[in-house]
Amino acid sequence: MQTIDRLMAVAGMAAVLLSSNSAAALAQGGWGKAADSAVVPAFGMSADDVEDLDVVNAAGDRIGEVEDVLTKGGAPAALGVDFKGFSGYSPGKDLNVVVPLDEFTLLDKKRLKLKTDPAAVKTMETYPD
């Protein structure tokens, strides 16, 4: 039983370290994570409602998912999108990318359409999840 308790403690510490590393990486780029209650004016929705929206391309194919609403200077300015490796928007692996809000169109309460092509996305800032 002590071994399981130790493993659980180590796993908990690793999760805290990964979380703080992610926050530090975002902060280095000048980004912060929006509070769940923050309003994202571009979509008229709360950050909590925007997170987990599907991201689709012009053809309507699902290419990723919103992980975080990111702020710069305290205001929502970008979305952290988890692009799936098979989507053509990342180099063959899942990738979290900072995408400016003006690169999206709200289709409905479940989907955002990305205006940017795969080549442009591959040049955008990335961050750890």
Side-chain angles (χ1 to χ4, degrees):
M1 194 62 137
Q2 289 181 352
T3 303
I4 291 173
D5 290 340
R6 286 184 191 151
L7 287 173
M8 294 296 288
V10 169
M13 287 186 287
V16 168
L17 287 172
L18 288 173
S19 175
S20 62
N21 286 343
S22 295
L26 280 174
Q28 284 179 348
W31 298 104
K33 289 187 182 183
D36 286 345
S37 61
V39 174
V40 182
F43 312 130
M45 300 168 67
S46 71
D48 190 45
D49 289 336
V50 172
E51 291 171 357
D52 297 326
L53 288 178
D54 286 338
V55 176
V56 300
N57 61 14
D61 300 320
R62 185 178 184 275
I63 55 174
E65 177 179 275
V66 177
E67 290 296 316
D68 299 302
V69 174
L70 303 175
T71 62
K72 205 144 214 185
L79 300 179
V81 177
D82 179 10
F83 286 100
K84 302 302 176 192
F86 60 83
S87 68
Y89 286 78
S90 63
K93 62 179 181 175
D94 286 5
L95 188 65
N96 292 313
V97 179
V98 177
V99 183
L101 287 176
D102 62 359
E103 295 295 338
F104 296 97
T105 301
L106 180 66
L107 296 177
D108 53 46
K109 297 292 182 180
K110 295 182 182 181
R111 299 177 304 150
L112 293 171
K113 181 174 75 174
L114 181 66
K115 301 174 190 176
T116 305
D117 65 25
V121 168
K122 290 176 185 174
T123 68
M124 292 180 179
E125 183 180 352
T126 63
Y127 73 98
D129 188 21

